[in-house]
């Protein structure tokens, strides 16, 4: 049996499950030409059924079942794994997977890439000194960094002191064929509201602290107080599972507006969900480059997003949506009310967002950036990207 000549890229993350980071890995593997690279997905904890999103049948999935905390005890296992797989590239994502860079270096992996995709609730502004020290400790073992927003690139070069020639700021791409505008009458399966009679604002994402969906619930309640006439048409859609779902439901129940909201939990038909909205809202406390913002813009939706991370890199305020302060239901409510009463502006913003996607955030551009980085690093290390 002849050896496969394609270089192997080992994508390492904490957990391979529903999420923006993981969706980016799926898109990259599905859209990168198969003749260039092989791929393996390594989860420090577990690989879930989310793996079924990857359409290629030559991808290896590995779960390491790591316990919480620093995984130094896992280093020998990772070392043996990398020696066995012999990847040309190890590509880790976010702080929770950064520690694999040391055993990858020890195992002689030629190119070691680390991607910074966004921050979590424990380090919303990058000021956590412990996290800074951890990143500086592992810095010598990383060949190259990919930052998904200008904010993260500046953090790496300024705070972590990574040389600028070792950092590339690269945007996510979105599948603009799968995510495309729908009709004004379209609603998602199971949605209790009917467009265009109802005007639907919504969000999609894991319902956990850093995503801060309760702020959107409060903003929706406040918008109905600011403009009571909106009770006839304004409706809220919050898609996703997680610990904050019950809190959001409670807020809506206590305000007496639960019948005006739909919280269906996790769904697998996100393009149809998006096309059934009139406006997308992202209330996050921290972000890198949000896949859901890109997907909403690709679907022709205006976007209201918080002023965190890379959100302002995506949403052109006043043109394709609006940027509001994080954790500020009042400011968010005012924007909801303004757009709900401005159909011409909403249409123009949605069209502008779709145009921005086609010009700047295509899947082809993202894949080209990653593949170009892989090729460059393998040439630099003396390995042939084609062997």
């Amino acid at each position: 049996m002849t050896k496969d000549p394609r270089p192997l890229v080992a994508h390492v993350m904490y957990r391979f499950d529903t999420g923006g980071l993981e969706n980016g890995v799926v898109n990259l593997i599905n859209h990168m030409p198969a003749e260039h690279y092989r791929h393996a997905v390594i989860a420090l904890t577990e690989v879930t059924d989310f793996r079924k999103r990857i359409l290629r049948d030559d991808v290896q999935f590995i779960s390491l079942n790591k316990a919480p905390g620093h995984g130094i005890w896992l280093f020998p296992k990772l070392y043996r794994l990398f020696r066995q797989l012999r990847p040309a590239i190890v590509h880790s994502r976010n702080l929770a997977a950064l520690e694999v860079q040391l055993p990858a270096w020890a195992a002689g992996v030629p190119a070691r890439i680390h991607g910074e995709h966004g921050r979590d609730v424990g380090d919303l502004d990058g000021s956590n000194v412990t996290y800074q020290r951890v990143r500086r400790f592992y810095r010598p073992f990383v060949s190259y960094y990919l930052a998904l927003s200008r904010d993260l690139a500046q953090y790496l070069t300024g705070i972590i002191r990574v040389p600028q020639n070792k950092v590339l700021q690269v945007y996510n791409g979105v599948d603009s064929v799968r995510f495309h505008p729908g009709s004004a009458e379209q609603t998602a399966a199971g949605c209790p509201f009917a467009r265009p009679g109802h005007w639907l604002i919504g969000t999609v994402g894991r319902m956990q602290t850093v995503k801060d969906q309760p702020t959107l619930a409060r903003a929706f309640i406040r918008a109905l107080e600011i403009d009571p006439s909106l009770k006839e048409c304004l409706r809220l859609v919050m898609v996703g599972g997680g610990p904050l779902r019950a809190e959001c439901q409670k807020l809506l129940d206590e305000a007496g507006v639960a019948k005006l909201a739909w919280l269906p939990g996790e769904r697998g038909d996100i393009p149809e969900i998006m096309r059934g909205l009139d406006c997308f809202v992202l209330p996050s406390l921290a972000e890198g480059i949000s896949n859901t913002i890109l997907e909403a813009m690709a679907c022709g939706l205006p976007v209201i997003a918080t002023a965190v991370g890379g959100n302002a890199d995506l949403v052109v305020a006043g043109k394709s949506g609006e940027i509001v302060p994080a954790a500020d239901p009042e400011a968010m409510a005012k924007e909801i009310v303004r757009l709900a009463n401005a159909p011409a502006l909403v249409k123009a913003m949605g069209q502008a967002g779709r145009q921005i996607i086609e010009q700047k955030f295509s899947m082809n551009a993202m894949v080209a950036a990653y593949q170009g980085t892989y090729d460059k690093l393998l040439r630099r290390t003396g390995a042939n990207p084609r062997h």
Side-chain angles (χ1 to χ4, degrees):
M1 182 173 164
T2 58
K3 183 177 181 293
D4 194 321
R6 297 171 300 166
L8 174 65
V9 182
H11 304 272
V12 188
M13 60 220 74
Y14 185 74
R15 178 182 168 89
F16 195 60
D17 199 2
T18 305
L21 181 160
E22 297 81 2
N23 192 58
V25 175
V26 169
N27 285 335
L28 180 62
I29 293 174
N30 283 343
H31 289 86
M32 185 175 286
E35 65 270 18
H36 288 278
Y37 288 95
R38 293 178 294 133
H39 301 271
V41 173
I42 301 172
L44 297 183
T45 53
E46 68 171 326
V47 174
T48 71
D49 282 347
F50 191 71
R51 62 185 287 178
K52 295 176 182 176
R53 300 277 186 95
I54 291 180
L55 304 178
R56 288 173 55 169
D57 60 6
D58 61 346
V59 178
Q60 188 173 359
F61 297 92
I62 300 167
S63 300
L64 297 179
N65 303 308
K66 175 182 179 290
H70 193 277
I72 191 168
W73 63 270
L74 200 60
F75 282 8
K77 187 174 183 179
L78 283 163
Y79 173 84
R80 290 192 297 270
L81 179 63
F82 292 141
R83 293 293 288 178
Q84 175 193 340
L85 294 176
R86 302 190 68 80
I89 296 167
V90 163
H91 187 165
S92 59
R93 266 95 168 169
N94 274 354
L95 182 63
L98 178 57
E99 61 197 40
V100 307
Q101 292 289 332
L102 196 159
W105 166 81
V109 176
R112 301 170 304 279
I113 299 173
H114 182 66
E116 289 287 350
H117 288 243
R119 299 198 181 98
D120 210 333
V121 69
D123 190 26
L124 294 175
D125 60 359
S127 63
N128 187 305
V129 175
T130 300
Y131 293 170
Q132 291 175 14
R133 288 173 178 161
V134 170
R135 285 185 170 93
R136 291 190 193 118
F137 174 81
Y138 286 103
R139 184 182 59 199
F141 307 106
V142 180
S143 308
Y144 204 70
Y145 289 84
L146 295 177
L148 268 68
S149 69
R150 287 177 295 174
D151 170 61
L152 290 168
Q154 291 164 0
Y155 171 75
L156 288 171
T157 56
I159 304 298
I160 309 305
R161 299 194 288 274
V162 178
Q164 288 193 350
N165 65 357
K166 290 182 66 174
V167 179
L168 176 67
Q169 197 253 299
V170 56
Y171 288 121
N172 278 344
V174 63
D175 187 339
S176 56
V177 175
R178 184 168 176 245
F179 290 89
H180 61 80
S183 70
E185 295 78 28
Q186 187 169 346
T187 54
C191 180
F193 311 126
R195 299 169 67 221
H198 293 133
W199 199 77
L200 276 61
I201 62 168
T203 196
V204 175
R206 289 174 293 184
M207 300 191 78
Q208 57 188 31
T209 304
V210 73
K211 299 301 182 182
D212 196 25
Q213 286 93 345
T215 284
L216 174 54
R218 292 185 178 96
F220 175 72
I221 294 164
R222 178 65 183 134
L224 297 175
E225 293 171 350
I226 294 171
D227 185 352
S229 68
L230 290 177
K231 288 182 180 178
E232 296 299 316
C233 64
L234 184 63
R235 299 294 183 267
L236 174 64
V237 175
M238 305 179 84
V239 174
L244 294 184
R245 187 179 174 208
E247 180 181 343
C248 291
Q249 189 66 64
K250 184 180 179 183
L251 286 167
L252 297 164
D253 288 341
E254 290 176 348
V257 297
K259 291 184 179 179
L260 308 185
W262 183 46
L263 284 70
E266 190 171 322
R267 298 273 295 219
D269 56 342
I270 301 305
E272 290 73 23
I273 292 286
M274 290 285 193
R275 285 191 283 274
L277 299 177
D278 295 285
C279 178
F280 184 80
V281 186
L282 192 75
S284 300
L285 299 173
E287 283 289 343
I289 290 295
S290 167
N291 280 293
T292 51
I293 285 182
L294 293 175
E295 291 164 357
M297 291 169 63
C299 289
L301 299 179
V303 176
I304 300 171
T306 48
V308 299
N311 289 353
D313 290 8
L314 308 183
V315 181
V316 181
K319 182 180 179 182
S320 62
E322 293 297 344
I323 298 292
V324 298
D328 189 339
E330 185 71 17
M332 188 174 286
K334 288 178 179 177
E335 284 303 328
I336 291 170
V337 170
R338 186 170 77 92
L339 294 187
N341 288 294
L345 176 60
V346 163
K347 184 177 180 179
M349 283 181 166
Q351 290 173 342
R354 175 69 190 188
Q355 188 174 31
I356 290 169
I357 291 296
E358 292 171 349
Q359 292 173 349
K360 194 174 179 182
F361 299 102
S362 71
M363 191 64 69
N364 287 342
M366 182 196 76
V367 171
Y370 278 85
Q371 186 176 320
T373 300
Y374 293 167
D375 290 350
K376 177 177 69 175
L377 288 177
L378 291 191
R379 284 193 295 267
R380 185 182 297 173
T381 61
N384 189 329
R386 295 291 177 267
H387 297 287

